[in-house]
Amino acid sequence: MSMFCYQCQETAKNTGCTVRGVCGKNEEVAKLQDLLIYTLKGIADIVIKNKIDISNIPDTNHQVLNSLFMTITNANFDGDAFERQVKKMLGYRDALVDKNDSGLHDAATFAVGSREEMLDKASTVGVLATENEDVRSLRELIIYGLKGMAAYMEHAANLGKKNIEVNEFIYEALAATLDDSMTADELVALTLKTGEYGVKSMALLDEANTSTYGHPEITEVNIGVRNNPAILISGHDLGDLEQLLEQTQGTGVDVYTHGEMLPAHSYPAFKKYENFVGNYGNAWWKQIEEFETFRGPILFTTNCIVPPKSEEIRKRIFTTNSVGYPGCPHIVPNEEGKKDFSEIIELAKTLEAPKQIEEGTIIGGFAHNQVLSLADKVVDAIKSGAIKKFFVMAGCDGRMKSRDYYTEFAKALPKDTIILTAGCAKYRYNKLPLGDIGGIPRVLDAGQCNDSYSLALIALKLKEVFELDDVNELPIAFNIAWYEQKAVIVLLALLYLGVKDIHLGPTLPGFLSPNVAKVLVEKFGIAGIGTVEDDINLFLGE
Ligand code: SF4
Ligand code: SF3
């Protein structure tokens, strides 16, 4: 076995990628990612054992987030970037060590120089280094939750919002994954605590986005094209979008969103840009064909990157933040956080306008503020029986054929039900003509995966209005699609908020050992998916 990774839903045979990632990650990158995570654990070991006041190490805190984010599925495929990051983090780590320290873990003290030494060391510290499969499963569940949390924290930090408590928790949890004395029960408790901090990180990002760009409002988004050269912006970072829109003003270059950037159209602050045309295409995995017809440059602000099939497309790809791809220009901010996108804009001017692949509009902007402003209408519709049930179908999309389930499920839902969605999972049904209930669309899109937080707030508000003791008494079912590690933190956040009986698909995570899966089933009622018909009957109690 040359590598081992089982962090995403598409992991080979649902057990682990062992030769090359299904995502395209090669052995070297997989190993350097393992070593980077191990180095972060070493930093955490020193921070916790030496009781370091982390308010004094802001750069280390930030780079811990960035490192975690870099290892998320489809974020960064650049081996050189990982080698540099490992070296950088070893530098931060060694600066924290006191020469009188004793009792530190190997992760806090190991030394490597060359790439070869790094790869050798990585072979001994990856996921499988934890022999007990239940402990391994819980440790990885926590680590994947931290990765998702770090991504959300980084976006918030890019807009100037921080919460040092969350950084402290990240150190605590990273260090705990090195601690062989932790019992399975303690690790389960830490998993729930990870969910608690997941809620805090999503709340922080929500505050960062809404205080900077306003609250999302109901918006029709154009899915057709205009006849100008254009740039496609993908990923989740709204700060990058703002800078791109500012810099493209008056250049004759249009801007379109792809994948998870779609919800940006619902923020009031972006509506003033005349060249912010619409959304092009679908979820991340369709980029292979959609980048071909888009014809202009693409800026990735976060995952999901799919390794480009042709040299022509690779030459149009630019990355920033934690993402990277070998040979693609990576744009870094200056001291004031400003990024220079002129190279992308100049390239766009030399390329053809996008080819139209769809036309019409889709509707979005149903985040908490907008939905709560419609609360009376929604509550009346529930009371009158016009709305019988809500289905939270948030999460990720992916390539697997079995995800057709979600399209079929949405189609088969009775007309008196509403889908609440967030994340790129929505592309499985957001263009279906599902109609509305008394003017309320049957698919309410709260935004990006992190905006699952909005869905939780909406549920908690309904619980209050209906004076219920438990959120599970509401007519809301959870049928979530997962793919990468941001969906893991969303799931842990929902568990922490007390949501029970979540159905998770299209497969249960391969990283759950049978015993850990059993705990999740018994304690939280987690279940997989079945056939559309059986599941609808089950959810509707028929
Ligand atoms: Fe495999 Fe997913 Fe890991 Fe990629 S991220 S190597 S597809 S488990
Ligand atoms: Fe999608 Fe990658 Fe997860 Fe933010 S863009 S939800 S998969």
Side-chain angles (χ1 to χ4, degrees), residues 146-166:
L146 296 181
K147 291 185 183 194
M149 190 187 301
Y152 296 154
M153 290 293 287
E154 187 166 305
H155 293 305
N158 289 349
L159 296 177
K161 297 278 180 204
K162 297 188 178 170
N163 180 347
I164 197 139
E165 257 187 76
V166 180

Side-chain angles (χ1 to χ4, degrees), residues 73-74 152 236 259-260 284 302-304 395-397 423-425 448-450 483-484 486-487:
T73 301
N74 292 340
Y152 296 154
H236 304 64
E260 273 284 71
W284 63 273
T302 70
N303 59 321
C304 279
C396 308
D397 197 10
C424 64
Q448 299 176 332
C449 47
N450 40 291
Y483 170 59
E484 38 80 30
K486 294 183 207 175

Side-chain angles (χ1 to χ4, degrees), residues 312-329:
E312 190 280 315
I313 291 181
R314 195 187 57 75
K315 284 192 171 144
R316 289 192 269 125
I317 291 180
F318 295 76
T319 62
T320 187
N321 302 319
S322 306
V323 282
Y325 196 80
C328 297

Side-chain angles (χ1 to χ4, degrees), residues 266-378:
S266 301
Y267 285 87
F270 300 127
K271 295 193 171 167
K272 64 174 184 264
Y273 299 102
E274 191 277 329
N275 67 331
F276 191 32
V277 178
N279 189 69
Y280 190 86
N282 296 281
W284 63 273
W285 60 280
K286 293 259 185 127
Q287 64 187 257
I288 297 282
E289 62 226 58
E290 289 169 356
F291 288 180
E292 208 157 301
T293 51
F294 185 74
R295 303 195 278 223
I298 302 112
L299 172 62
F300 275 103
T301 68
T302 70
N303 59 321
C304 279
I305 299 179
V306 180
K309 284 231 160 46
S310 75
E311 195 50 19
E312 190 280 315
I313 291 181
R314 195 187 57 75
K315 284 192 171 144
R316 289 192 269 125
I317 291 180
F318 295 76
T319 62
T320 187
N321 302 319
S322 306
V323 282
Y325 196 80
C328 297
H330 184 78
I331 296 164
V332 290
N334 68 11
E335 303 262 290
E336 286 93 50
K338 292 275 166 284
K339 295 181 182 175
D340 180 0
F341 293 134
S342 55
E343 193 185 342
I344 314 180
I345 299 168
E346 289 314 308
L347 176 63
K349 287 180 186 166
T350 68
L351 297 168
E352 276 183 273
K355 181 174 164 194
Q356 178 136 314
I357 51 172
E358 294 173 297
E359 56 185 344
T361 57
I362 46 179
I363 193 161
F366 293 94
H368 56 90
N369 201 61
Q370 177 67 79
V371 174
L372 296 182
S373 76
L374 300 170
D376 290 348
K377 210 170 165 182
V378 173

Side-chain angles (χ1 to χ4, degrees), residues 3 5-12 17 20-25 73-74 483 485:
M3 61 177 270
C5 179
Y6 64 173
Q7 66 175 353
C8 84
Q9 189 273 323
E10 291 185 3
T11 192
C17 295
R20 186 184 175 86
V22 171
C23 59
K25 178 162 88 178
T73 301
N74 292 340
Y483 170 59
Q485 299 76 52

